[in-house]
Amino acid sequence: MKNDRMHGKITVLVAGVVCALASMAAVPAWADAGVVTVYSADGLHDGKGSWYETQFAEFTKETGIKVQYVEGGSGGVVERLTKEKSNPQADVLVTLPPFIQRAQAQGLLQKFHPKAAAHIEGGSDSYQPLVYNYTNFIYNAAAVKQAPKSFADLLDPKFKGKIQYSTPGQAGDGTAVMLLVNHAFGGKDAGFEFMKKLQDNNVGPSASTGKLTALVNKSELFVANGDLQMNMVQMKDNPNIRVFWPAGPDGVRTALSLPYYVGLVTGAPDSNNGKKLIEFLLSRKAQSTVSSVAYGLPVRKDVTPTDANYKSFHEAMHGVKIWTPDWNVVLQELPADVARWRQVTGS
């Protein structure tokens, strides 16, 4: 997701008014009955009139509760919660797998079963899916006339210094690239061997996925990784961007399922407000706007959008196979996998 996933920003939303405050490192505690603090991975606040912006404004209008919004990397926001464990600052966490699983495993999330969970699949006793999303890659259609058809095509010398993907272990999308490559090549040995070869064309590590979009749009890069929800929003302001899914050696194009998840923070200073916000964001009313505003997919089984964005989302993924890994296994193996990635790429 945008600025994926280490640069942070803070925003307070009061009845729809957005006010930038400070950097992520300088967040004060808000133990206030009229405030709820959200630590979130980026992507759902992208663009003017974003889903977060509109929903937070509506939440404040209905409840009188202000939303303090802190944005960072999917791994970064969990690291921040870990550092603050003895003195929690956040009430609600929104992040990607496997970092939501890490938060639960580290005791950073308290048990909370929202009423909306009855209409949602894939959650746990500490977190629920919030918006469905999937991995993809992007390319500059002005510089590259045809999308690369396969991962092998990315090894072409014409892409030297023109490919970049976000860093596994730091960025949710970057971690997904590593997992997807290993899956596409049928195992870790072949997957890491490909990533070693790809390093000849790769610019180098990037803590941010979202910032890669502008670089591709300006032809500073030709290809980068991304996720469909974020990139479809960004395409409005980046006309050269197109999405694609490269095929593995078996000819199959695959996208990894990468939902945003939401959970209630252990020791939240405003726990009741956190519960109210989670229920609000998972309500039928809020979920019915996910596709039309955010280009994501709603998680409620009783919400089926008919808007143009929903149709575009499905059309873009036509012929692409969806893969969902066992995120608990991913979490267990992640340190060793990231270490191996660093070793083979020299990163």
Side-chain angles (χ1 to χ4, degrees):
M1 285 61 197
K2 185 180 177 183
N3 294 332
D4 192 347
R5 294 264 188 255
M6 297 304 293
H7 294 89
K9 62 184 179 181
I10 304 167
T11 305
V12 171
L13 288 89
V14 184
V17 179
V18 182
C19 178
L21 293 183
S23 71
M24 188 174 178
V27 185
W30 284 68
D32 186 326
V35 174
V36 59
T37 302
V38 180
Y39 283 10
S40 178
D42 45 10
L44 296 176
H45 204 288
D46 288 354
K48 186 177 181 180
S50 68
W51 190 67
Y52 267 166
E53 182 180 350
T54 55
Q55 294 308 310
F56 290 167
E58 186 64 24
F59 176 74
T60 299
K61 182 179 178 181
E62 290 189 11
T63 66
I65 300 169
K66 305 172 187 178
V67 179
Q68 179 180 232
Y69 174 68
V70 180
E71 181 176 285
S74 56
V77 288
V78 175
E79 289 175 6
R80 182 175 179 84
L81 286 180
T82 302
K83 294 176 182 177
E84 297 173 350
K85 190 172 183 179
S86 62
N87 184 27
Q89 307 291 296
D91 303 302
V92 175
L93 172 69
V94 178
T95 193
L96 307 180
F99 302 106
I100 192 72
Q101 287 83 6
R102 174 182 290 174
Q104 182 182 41
Q106 293 178 344
L108 301 175
L109 300 177
Q110 59 179 288
K111 293 183 179 180
F112 173 55
H113 195 71
K115 297 177 182 178
H119 303 282
I120 300 171
E121 295 180 350
S124 76
D125 59 2
S126 298
Y127 59 81
Q128 298 293 325
L130 178 63
V131 174
Y132 287 140
N133 193 19
Y134 304 91
T135 59
N136 62 252
F137 290 79
I138 57 174
Y139 73 102
N140 183 306
V144 181
K145 299 305 180 183
Q146 186 177 15
K149 293 183 179 180
S150 68
F151 280 108
D153 288 346
L154 300 180
L155 302 179
D156 192 308
K158 71 181 179 181
F159 291 119
K160 189 172 182 63
K162 291 293 187 179
I163 291 178
Q164 193 169 22
Y165 60 90
S166 50
T167 307
Q170 292 185 8
D173 292 324
T175 302
V177 169
M178 178 181 69
L179 298 174
L180 186 61
V181 166
N182 288 342
H183 175 75
F185 281 82
K188 294 182 181 181
D189 289 344
F192 282 120
E193 181 62 26
F194 168 80
M195 299 190 86
K196 180 178 180 179
K197 295 177 181 178
L198 183 63
Q199 199 65 15
D200 288 341
N201 290 343
N202 186 26
V203 173
S206 171
S208 167
T209 304
K211 74 176 184 181
L212 300 181
T213 302
L215 297 178
V216 174
N217 188 63
K218 294 184 294 185
S219 298
E220 293 183 29
L221 299 172
F222 288 167
V223 173
N225 70 305
D227 66 78
L228 194 55
Q229 178 273 327
M230 176 187 71
N231 289 145
M232 292 188 77
V233 171
Q234 293 174 331
M235 285 170 67
K236 297 177 183 178
D237 298 319
N238 296 271
N240 294 325
I241 295 297
R242 301 291 186 274
V243 301
F244 75 103
W245 290 265
D250 60 358
V252 177
R253 296 185 301 144
T254 303
L256 189 152
S257 178
L258 202 66
Y260 294 90
Y261 285 97
V262 62
L264 187 67
V265 176
T266 300
D270 294 294
S271 183
N272 288 334
N273 290 350
K275 293 177 180 179
K276 291 177 183 178
L277 180 62
I278 291 172
E279 292 282 15
F280 182 89
L281 294 176
L282 293 176
S283 68
R284 285 198 76 212
K285 181 179 179 181
Q287 287 287 306
S288 67
T289 66
V290 165
S291 57
S292 61
V293 177
Y295 276 95
L297 296 183
V299 298
R300 289 183 64 115
K301 293 180 290 184
D302 56 350
V303 174
T304 304
T306 58
D307 59 89
N309 290 353
Y310 182 80
K311 295 177 181 178
S312 296
F313 196 105
H314 282 281
E315 288 172 358
M317 296 192 71
H318 179 71
V320 178
K321 184 177 180 179
I322 305 300
W323 173 56
T324 302
D326 184 330
W327 288 110
N328 290 318
V329 173
V330 169
L331 183 62
Q332 292 173 6
E333 299 179 352
L334 187 60
D337 287 344
V338 171
R340 186 173 180 181
W341 172 83
R342 293 189 182 281
Q343 188 271 323
V344 301
T345 62
S347 299

